[in-house]
Amino acid sequence: MFACKNSIIELVYFENSIQNQQFTNLNFWISGFALRSSNSIEGIKMNLQNTNLQMSDIIIQSVQDKEGKTIPISKILLINNSLPNLQVFFIEYLNNFLLKKYESVSEESDWKISNFQINSILTEEKDKQLIQLGFNSSENLVYSDKNGIKFSFRKSDSNFPVINSFNIESIKETIDLVQFFEN
């Protein structure tokens, strides 16, 4: 995990058996993003019930402590149809330890997530769903969350979304993580 002033970047490795064959040459794959709200996961799910979004059941994420006991750490709600093959989910921490740790490390960070770009077709339905999920939109179709992270869509012939740039910045520099990990 990499704490930034306005969010967390979590790098994980997993085999993606459903990954589109034309993108198998990628070394680095951004598979989705998590959203955090001050509302409970149950409240978010209830608020989204009257939309056309497909949602998962609420998932409890757990870890094992050093004694081997399973400790629940968060609740997750997957939004299944907003961006095909790109996971969008809400997360709610179940204890204050992770949240306080994230907040304290974030305050000390020199970095913030600036923006990212999704190489995918933006339809009216996707636009409506992103607004329903709580994103703000500008006239030039740049979306942002409450932490100031911006993202946009680059015209594409594919329905398979690829995040082709993901910029973090400090006072001194900007780094595109996609380019960084691909090199």
Side-chain angles (χ1 to χ4, degrees), residues 38-80:
S38 56
N39 296 335
S40 70
I41 289 289
E42 291 82 6
I44 293 167
K45 186 166 186 168
M46 192 169 19
N47 289 340
L48 295 175
Q49 289 292 337
N50 296 330
T51 68
N52 61 348
L53 294 169
Q54 297 172 2
M55 295 170 279
S56 70
D57 291 330
I58 295 172
I59 302 163
I60 304 293
Q61 184 180 28
S62 301
V63 295
Q64 288 191 347
D65 66 9
K66 52 186 165 187
E67 286 86 38
K69 291 190 322 190
T70 300
I71 309 294
I73 58 168
S74 63
K75 292 181 186 178
I76 296 172
L77 177 66
L78 292 168
I79 309 301
N80 296 322

Side-chain angles (χ1 to χ4, degrees), residues 97-127:
F97 173 76
L98 284 176
L99 187 56
K100 288 189 186 298
K101 186 71 171 169
Y102 156 67
E103 288 171 348
S104 69
V105 173
S106 292
E107 287 174 12
E108 299 168 10
S109 178
D110 291 334
W111 296 92
K112 72 175 189 173
I113 299 173
S114 172
N115 59 66
F116 59 95
Q117 187 178 66
I118 302 171
N119 184 20
S120 179
I121 299 167
L122 177 61
T123 63
E124 284 184 39
E125 183 179 349
K126 281 183 194 173
D127 177 64

